[in-house]
Amino acid sequence: MFESLSTRIQEVFKSLRGEVRLTTEQVEAALREIRLALLEADVNFNVVKAFVDRVRDRAMDQAVLRSLTPGQQVIKIVRDELLALFGEAEGGLTKHAPTPRVVLFLGLQGSGKTTTAAKLGRWLARQGRHPLMVSTDVRRPAAIEQLAVLGEKADIRVFAPETRDPVARAGGALAEAKAKGFDTVLVDTAGRLHIDEELMDELLAIRNAVQPSDLLYVADAMTGQDAIKSAGEFNRRIGVTGVVLTKLDGDARGGAALSVVSVVGVPIAFVGSGERLEDLELFHPDRIVSRMLGMGDVLSLIEKAEQAFDKEEAEALQEKLRKNEFTLDDFRSQLRTIKRMGPLESVLGMIPGLGDLKQLAENKPDDKQMARVEAIICSMTPEERRDHAMINGSRRRRIAAGSGTSVEEVNRLLKQFTEMRRVLAMIGQGGMPRLGRGMKLPPAPSKAVAVPGKKRKKGGPWGLIKTR
Ligand SMILES: Nc1nc2c(ncn2[C@@H]2O[C@H](COP(=O)(O)OP(=O)(O)OP(=O)(O)O)[C@@H](O)[C@H]2O)c(=O)[nH]1
Ligand SMILES: [Mg+2]
C-alpha cells in the first residue's frame, strides 16, 4: 500500500537528509516533489495545497534552515503535518455507548461492509466482548447467507429472523441482544452502486429504530476520491462517526486515506488489509505515517505477532531452542505461524529499513515460495523431520520428487535450516528479547522482525525462505 507515494517521498527525504545547509530553493524543490507525489497519489487537491503551504511556512523559517540538521528538521515537519492530516482522534469505536452498543455499517456496493462486520465481530470477541450480527440486506439474494457463513467462520452469532423487513431485522437483533446478554450489535446494510433515495430512506429508518452509537462508513481505499465524495454524502444524510478504509492491501495509492479526515471531517476508525477475518487493524495515524515514510512499523507488527503466536507454544519453542532441539517440524509450524500473520509482503513492509531495500522488491520471498518450502518439509517422513542429519542423497531425491521441487531446492533448504538452527541455538542461549505484556516471541522470522537494529546473519532466518 502507498508504495509509489512512499518511494517518492523517501527520494525527496534522501535528497534532504545529507544536506548541511539548505537553501530556500532546495526546500521549494522538495516541496514541489512532495506536492506532485501527493497529487499523483490522488490526495484531494485542496488538502495538498493546504498541506504544502503549512510545511512551507514552517520549513522556511530561518531557525530551521540555519540549524545544524536542516534536512532532518524539514523531514520532521513533513511527518508532523502528515500526521495532522489524520486529526486528533485515535482509531476504534466511539468512547461512550450504551449497552448493547449498536454499530451500523454504511457504504456503497462492494466496499466491504459485510466482510468488515464479521472482521469487527471477531476483533471484538478477541477483546472479550459478545457481539451479535444481523444482516438487513434483503435486496441482494445471497447477502444474508454471506453474513451467516462469515459468522460461522468467525464463530460469531448471527441473528436470522424470518422477516424480510430491514428495520424489523435490525430492531429484532437489538431486542435479542438485550434479552440474551450480547453487548454489541453489528448491523450490516445493503449497498448500492450510487447513492439513491430509497437506500437513504431505508438507512435512516434503520438508524432511527436502533439508535447506533457507531455509524461506520466503509470505503474501498482503491476508489480514491470517489469514496470520499460519497462518504461526505452519507455523513450529511445519515451521519458517520468513523471511516473504515478497506483494501489497503491492494494498490490503493493513499489518496483516500490522506484526504478523508480533512474533507469529510470524521476520523478513520479501522483499516482492512486483506480478505481474511484477521485482516482488520485499529487505525493508528502515527504507524501509517511511519510506514508511508519508510520508517517501518514495529508496533503493528508486534501486535500482529502477539495475535498469531500462542504464548505457550512460544515458551515450548524457546526451551527447544535452548537445548538445540529445533527440528524441521518446528520450522514448519513457524512457517505456518508467519502465514497467519498475513501475506509476507505486508509483514515485510512493516520492518524498519526493509522499505529501503531496493533489491527486496525483486527478491522478496513470497507466499508461493513459502508454500514450496512447506511442500518440501511435508514430503519428509516424520523421522526425517525429527532428525535432518539422516537425509542423505537418495532421500533428497525422493523428497524433491514428492514435493515437485528439485534436489537443489531441497539441498538449499537443508543447508539454510542447519545454518538457522546454529544461529537460533546461539540466540536461544543468549535469551530472547521481551515483547509487550511479558511475552516472548519465538525465534526465526519473528526474531529478525522483532529486533530491528540488531545485525542479522546473512542467510539467517529470512534468507531461509528465499528458495531461489
Ligand atoms: N483485498 C481485500 N479485499 C477485501 C477487503 N475487505 C473486503 N474485501 C473483499 O471485497 C469484496 C466485497 O466485500 P463485501 O464485504 O461483500 O462488500 P459489501 O460492502 O458488503 O458489498 P454489498 O453487500 O454488495 O454492498 C469481497 O470479495 C471481500 O472479500 C480488504 O480489506 N482487502
Ligand atoms: Mg454486503
Side-chain angles (χ1 to χ4, degrees):
M1 113 185 124
F2 308 143
E3 248 163 53
S4 99
L5 176 63
S6 168
T7 314
R8 292 193 59 166
I9 293 189
Q10 284 178 52
E11 285 296 316
V12 178
F13 282 4
K14 226 176 266 165
S15 71
L16 291 174
R17 201 166 270 149
E19 298 294 333
V20 194
R21 280 274 164 273
L22 273 186
T23 62
T24 53
E25 288 78 25
Q26 278 170 309
V27 175
E28 226 15 278
L31 283 175
R32 248 194 324 273
E33 281 298 308
I34 292 177
R35 179 173 166 278
L36 275 178
L38 290 172
L39 287 175
E40 245 167 57
D42 195 28
V43 180
N44 176 286
F45 178 80
N46 293 318
V47 173
V48 175
K49 186 170 183 316
F51 173 84
V52 170
D53 287 346
R54 274 198 307 275
V55 174
R56 182 186 292 110
D57 274 355
R58 291 179 57 188
M60 291 297 190
D61 190 324
Q62 288 305 312
V64 171
L65 295 177
R66 296 237 176 108
S67 72
L68 286 176
T69 52
Q72 298 291 353
Q73 305 245 9
V74 172
I75 291 171
K76 186 177 175 306
I77 293 170
V78 172
R79 184 181 180 277
D80 289 352
E81 291 297 337
L82 277 176
L83 262 180
L85 288 180
F86 292 112
E88 297 281 293
E90 272 292 316
L93 297 174
T94 50
K95 292 280 168 294
H96 305 286
T99 310
R101 174 196 288 269
V102 179
V103 183
L104 189 63
F105 294 88
L106 309 166
L108 294 180
Q109 202 162 68
S111 58
K113 294 176 295 299
T114 307
T115 315
T116 303
K119 285 178 178 177
L120 186 64
R122 166 101 158 211
W123 188 85
L124 289 167
R126 276 182 184 275
Q127 329 235 317
R129 309 286 298 270
H130 300 285
L132 177 68
M133 302 199 287
V134 66
S135 172
T136 62
D137 185 354
V138 294
R139 277 176 62 104
R140 195 160 59 80
I144 293 179
E145 179 61 18
Q146 182 193 3
L147 190 71
V149 169
L150 285 171
E152 190 157 322
K153 234 167 116 187
D155 201 15
I156 303 295
R157 276 284 303 282
V158 178
F159 183 64
E162 288 292 312
T163 170
R164 303 206 33 99
D165 171 33
V167 177
R169 292 179 68 88
L174 180 55
E176 170 86 357
K178 283 179 180 157
K180 303 260 173 78
F182 290 97
D183 55 25
T184 315
V185 184
L186 305 172
V187 184
D188 185 22
T189 62
R192 294 282 201 284
L193 280 176
H194 305 284
I195 290 172
D196 67 35
E197 293 310 315
E198 195 192 347
L199 172 69
M200 287 296 156
D201 289 345
E202 181 176 309
L203 293 175
L204 274 175
I206 295 173
R207 188 199 71 185
N208 294 339
V210 294
Q211 302 281 328
S213 57
D214 294 82
L215 296 113
L216 295 180
Y217 180 78
V218 181
D220 178 342
M222 299 214 268
T223 58
Q225 292 309 304
D226 285 343
I228 293 188
K229 234 184 269 156
S230 38
E233 191 65 16
F234 271 83
N235 189 33
R236 271 187 298 280
R237 309 277 292 262
I238 322 262
V240 170
T241 61
V243 173
V244 181
L245 280 177
T246 64
K247 310 188 193 179
L248 279 188
D249 50 316
D251 53 2
R253 286 177 291 168
L258 284 166
S259 348
V260 72
V261 179
S262 312
V263 177
V264 187
V266 292
I268 302 176
F270 294 92
V271 294
S273 53
E275 298 196 52
R276 302 170 322 152
L277 287 168
E278 301 85 71
D279 299 328
L280 182 78
E281 290 172 48
L282 255 185
F283 179 69
H284 293 287
D286 49 335
R287 297 188 193 177
I288 281 238
V289 169
S290 298
R291 237 185 271 180
M292 219 177 265
L293 302 184
M295 296 172 182
D297 185 358
V298 193
L299 285 177
S300 285
L301 192 63
I302 289 176
E303 227 173 53
K304 274 198 166 187
E306 281 188 346
Q307 277 184 14
F309 292 111
D310 178 78
K311 189 169 172 229
E312 277 167 29
E313 218 177 275
E315 275 166 7
L317 198 65
Q318 263 241 280
E319 183 64 19
K320 285 192 171 174
L321 272 185
R322 221 168 37 74
K323 297 190 184 153
N324 204 7
E325 286 170 0
F326 187 73
T327 65
L328 282 158
D329 265 328
D330 301 320
F331 176 48
R332 184 175 54 178
S333 68
Q334 288 302 295
L335 281 184
R336 289 178 177 160
T337 304
I338 309 176
K339 265 202 217 151
R340 269 190 310 218
M341 285 173 68
L344 204 52
E345 248 180 89
S346 81
V347 176
L348 284 180
M350 294 186 207
I351 305 167
L354 285 196
D356 212 31
L357 288 180
K358 281 276 179 303
Q359 100 269 26
L360 197 77
E362 296 106 57
N363 234 345
K364 76 189 145 197
D366 57 24
D367 295 337
K368 233 198 263 155
Q369 289 170 325
M370 299 237 320
R372 290 174 80 83
V373 170
E374 202 178 327
I376 294 178
I377 300 178
C378 289
S379 296
M380 298 172 181
T381 65
E383 293 75 44
E384 288 167 345
R385 283 201 289 269
R386 269 194 298 278
D387 179 16
H388 64 282
M390 72 187 290
I391 308 182
N392 58 20
S394 69
R395 285 174 187 266
R396 287 176 197 217
R397 274 193 297 280
R398 192 207 74 236
I399 293 167
S403 56
T405 59
S406 64
V407 175
E408 286 75 47
E409 272 176 272
V410 177
N411 286 343
R412 199 176 309 131
L413 169 72
L414 286 170
K415 186 156 168 271
Q416 286 167 330
F417 172 75
T418 16
E419 172 66 7
M420 174 192 187
R421 201 165 176 265
R422 202 178 58 76
V423 175
L424 289 180
M426 271 164 27
I427 294 165
Q429 265 139 29
M432 304 287 283
R434 294 194 86 84
L435 286 175
R437 283 177 254 138
M439 178 200 146
K440 289 175 182 179
L441 272 187
S446 52
K447 167 70 185 175
V449 163
V451 200
K454 259 206 179 164
K455 267 234 157 82
R456 292 193 297 275
K457 218 172 144 51
K458 225 173 156 220
W462 285 101
L464 185 102
I465 28 195
K466 273 186 207 153
T467 54
R468 67 184 74 234

